[in-house]
Amino acid sequence: MTRTQESDIALAARAVDFGYGTTRVLHDVSLDVHPGDRLGIVGESGSGKTTLARLLVGAIDAHGADVTVNGAPWSKVSRRSRLRRGVQMIHQDPFASLNPHLSAHSAVREAAMVCQGLSARKAGALADELLESVGVNQRMAARKARQLSGGQCQRVAIARALAANPAIIVADEPTSALDLSVQAQIMNVLLDVMDERETALVIVSHDLAVVRHLTEDVVVMRYGRIVERGRTDEVLTNPVHPYTQSLCRAA
């Protein structure tokens, strides 16, 4: 099994304080994501976990927050850099994340062409391979996003993220908009493709069952702060912080 060409990419957040206007969202947040990591970021709505995810992938201006990719702040990383291509995000809403005018196959092929510079022929072949790997058959791949179910759209979104040949995928609540039976399917798809490609995975979720299933390490956030961290099984089985204890009881 070979690693992707971007497998040396690592992310780091160092004592990040971040907010919008006068509203502080994150307070003194630090964490690292290395090749092959399986990290969960857990917290209730308003905990700051989605803002942290967007900072990690360089999706929002950090305004001086110390978030780096291989030691470089995102503000210094060009849009065409291999570092930016090497960190991809899967969003919560599977419908909004796809161009409604493109077929599933075209969406994945386009990502391969833009991010890897492949010819249309090679990108199309890669799209076929990736869509098959996430359980999207040719008939489904020919449909546009509006013709697909939520679970099918999320499979396509995963394939599109993989088309960039990333070292790290950050998934923000990737199953919360899906039915329970479909959630299990998507979780298994993520596990399979991550293991096969040795891609690091960061899962942002309020669902402890999802995090327990997909991750090896976890950080727990409350009001923009990390209140507990450690190995997932240990933290969720024997939580120390009262907030983590309350989350586990509620789950």
Side-chain angles (χ1 to χ4, degrees), residues 61-204:
D61 189 345
H63 300 300
D66 191 1
V67 181
T68 61
V69 53
N70 279 15
W74 275 118
S75 60
K76 303 295 184 183
V77 178
S78 75
R79 290 291 172 185
R80 296 182 177 276
S81 168
R82 78 174 186 91
L83 295 178
R84 196 171 288 277
R85 295 195 308 269
V87 183
Q88 295 293 314
M89 190 166 190
I90 299 171
H91 298 275
Q92 178 177 358
D93 186 342
F95 295 102
S97 65
L98 297 174
N99 186 332
H101 303 295
L102 293 179
S103 69
H105 185 272
S106 295
V108 179
R109 182 186 64 185
E110 184 180 77
M113 292 172 65
V114 171
C115 295
Q116 295 200 56
L118 300 179
S119 67
R121 182 179 62 81
K122 289 184 177 180
L126 178 60
D128 289 336
E129 175 189 331
L130 291 174
L131 287 166
E132 182 181 357
S133 75
V134 298
V136 176
N137 60 36
Q138 291 184 347
R139 181 169 56 86
M140 226 185 292
R143 296 176 181 172
K144 296 181 179 180
R146 64 177 180 270
Q147 299 172 307
L148 300 174
S149 69
Q152 290 166 348
C153 278
Q154 200 62 293
R155 290 171 185 265
V156 175
I158 294 169
R160 188 182 60 173
L162 291 171
N165 197 24
I168 300 170
I169 287 180
V170 178
D172 183 14
E173 301 278 12
T175 63
S176 66
L178 307 175
D179 293 338
L180 286 177
S181 61
V182 181
Q183 286 185 23
Q185 295 171 14
I186 295 300
M187 284 193 291
N188 288 331
V189 167
L190 280 169
L191 279 178
D192 289 345
V193 297
M194 296 301 104
D195 288 343
E196 179 183 348
R197 297 171 183 278
E198 297 187 356
T199 305
L201 178 65
V202 179
I203 289 286
V204 180

Side-chain angles (χ1 to χ4, degrees), residues 11-14 16 52 55-58 62 64-69 72-75:
L11 298 174
R14 291 288 176 268
V16 172
L52 176 57
L55 284 171
L56 286 175
V57 301
D66 191 1
V67 181
T68 61
V69 53
W74 275 118
S75 60

Side-chain angles (χ1 to χ4, degrees), residues 231-247:
R231 301 294 286 181
T232 301
D233 285 343
E234 178 63 25
V235 170
L236 299 187
T237 302
N238 300 297
V240 174
H241 195 277
Y243 176 67
T244 312
Q245 294 171 356
S246 69
L247 287 181

Side-chain angles (χ1 to χ4, degrees), residues 17 25-29 47 220-227:
D17 289 291
V25 179
L26 299 175
H27 307 271
D28 194 29
V29 171
S47 64
V220 182
M221 296 189 66
R222 187 187 192 197
Y223 300 144
R225 301 181 186 275
I226 294 177
V227 297

